[in-house]
Amino acid sequence: MNLLFSTRHPLRSAILLGFIPILFATAAGVICVVAGLNETQILITQTLSFGISIILGVLIMKKSKLGYEAFGFRNPDVTKNSSVLFFLPLLVAEILPFMNGLDTSISFLTVILLLLFTVFVGINEELFFRGLIFKVFSAKGVKYAVIASSVIFGIGHAATALSGSDPIYVVILIIFAGLFGLVCAEIVVVTKSIVPVIIWHGLHDFIANITMETISSLGITLLIAQTLILCLYAIYLWRKVEFKKEVRVA
């Protein structure tokens, strides 16, 4: 990553960086469809694809010569746990999907592969969106970085949400994705680390894959409840963020 270019053109740099994980995800999807892979092969292919994306992101960080800590790879500030309410709102939000029930059709092997897959997804997306992209935007200040990185994250996940069939469900999913990105960015600023959001991101995706996702009254109600929790948590964290001109947190 050319830091001079990112400083002069942060939006262009951020868009290019955001395109990388999307490109690898799309490429993996195309390979799976063209090759006619089964469920196990799809998970392995997608995991390997995200692994390559992670390596590329790490190489970009290394080339910047800023050090990995500059991108949030450090232990979270434990003194700030009370400021983020010990992440309890996130825990409550992630418990709700279990009310839909577990997906008993998936095998033990699939569960293991899903766990590995979601770990890679969490690392990959947080490395780019709350690591590299956030750092690029931070030149314009914390507030700009939080909002801009969240918008790009939301837009990047809108395409996935639009594949749904129920319009109400799709709209709520898009709002949820935007709030997810916003809360992640705020946590990074408060804790000075992307480690907590990597864990949350991976856990969220894993739970989503092992529980039933039904577009029913219960399913929509649970998604609305999750969205409201994230909305309230985002508002709370916004009041805890210190909007300094110079950023040294991500």
Side-chain angles (χ1 to χ4, degrees):
M1 179 176 65
N2 188 318
L3 293 181
L4 183 62
F5 176 78
S6 68
T7 302
R8 292 179 177 177
H9 307 283
L11 183 58
R12 295 181 191 176
S13 299
I15 291 174
L16 287 174
L17 288 168
F19 183 70
I20 293 174
I22 294 175
L23 175 64
F24 277 95
T26 303
V30 171
I31 291 172
C32 292
V33 172
V34 172
L37 304 182
N38 59 37
E39 184 181 26
T40 299
Q41 293 169 330
I42 288 173
L43 281 173
I44 294 173
T45 301
Q46 291 177 328
T47 302
L48 289 174
S49 176
F50 288 133
I52 296 171
S53 179
I54 291 170
I55 292 172
L56 182 57
V58 170
L59 290 176
I60 293 173
M61 288 182 177
K62 184 176 181 180
K63 187 178 179 180
S64 74
K65 298 180 180 180
L66 294 175
Y68 300 120
E69 287 191 0
F71 297 96
F73 282 95
R74 55 183 141 193
N75 292 327
D77 187 347
V78 293
T79 63
K80 299 294 185 180
N81 279 346
S82 59
S83 296
V84 294
L85 301 179
F86 300 92
F87 309 108
L88 289 176
L90 303 183
L91 211 54
V92 173
E94 296 307 330
I95 289 174
L96 292 177
F98 287 101
M99 295 180 66
N100 258 333
L102 290 171
D103 187 350
T104 56
S105 66
I106 56 179
S107 65
F108 179 74
L109 174 61
T110 301
V111 170
I112 299 300
L113 290 175
L114 280 172
L115 179 60
L116 184 62
F117 167 71
T118 52
V119 167
F120 273 57
V121 170
I123 296 173
N124 183 46
E125 295 197 1
E126 295 309 318
L127 182 154
F128 278 95
F129 288 99
R130 254 66 64 177
L132 288 164
I133 292 175
F134 193 96
K135 186 63 178 177
V136 168
F137 281 140
S138 67
K140 287 183 172 290
V142 176
K143 184 181 293 187
Y144 184 88
V146 168
I147 295 174
S149 63
S150 303
V151 169
I152 288 183
F153 180 81
I155 293 174
H157 287 72
T160 303
L162 288 171
S163 62
S165 57
D166 188 289
I168 297 177
Y169 197 73
V170 167
V171 171
I172 300 172
L173 275 177
I174 293 174
I175 295 173
F176 180 87
L179 286 170
F180 190 100
L182 178 58
V183 170
C184 280
E186 291 170 333
I187 289 176
V188 168
V189 176
V190 175
T191 65
K192 300 179 174 62
S193 172
I194 67 171
V195 175
V197 293
I198 287 176
I199 295 172
W200 175 37
H201 199 142
L203 181 64
H204 172 79
D205 286 351
F206 180 68
I207 291 174
N209 278 282
I210 64 171
T211 54
M212 299 295 292
E213 185 179 5
T214 57
I215 304 178
S216 60
S217 297
L218 177 60
I220 293 177
T221 301
L222 292 175
L223 181 58
I224 291 174
Q226 282 186 301
T227 304
L228 287 175
I229 291 173
L230 287 194
C231 183
L232 293 173
Y233 194 38
I235 293 171
Y236 169 81
L237 289 174
W238 186 265
R239 300 170 65 88
K240 296 295 179 180
V241 174
E242 296 179 8
F243 291 117
K244 297 178 181 178
K245 181 63 178 176
E246 189 174 297
V247 180
R248 302 181 185 277
V249 295

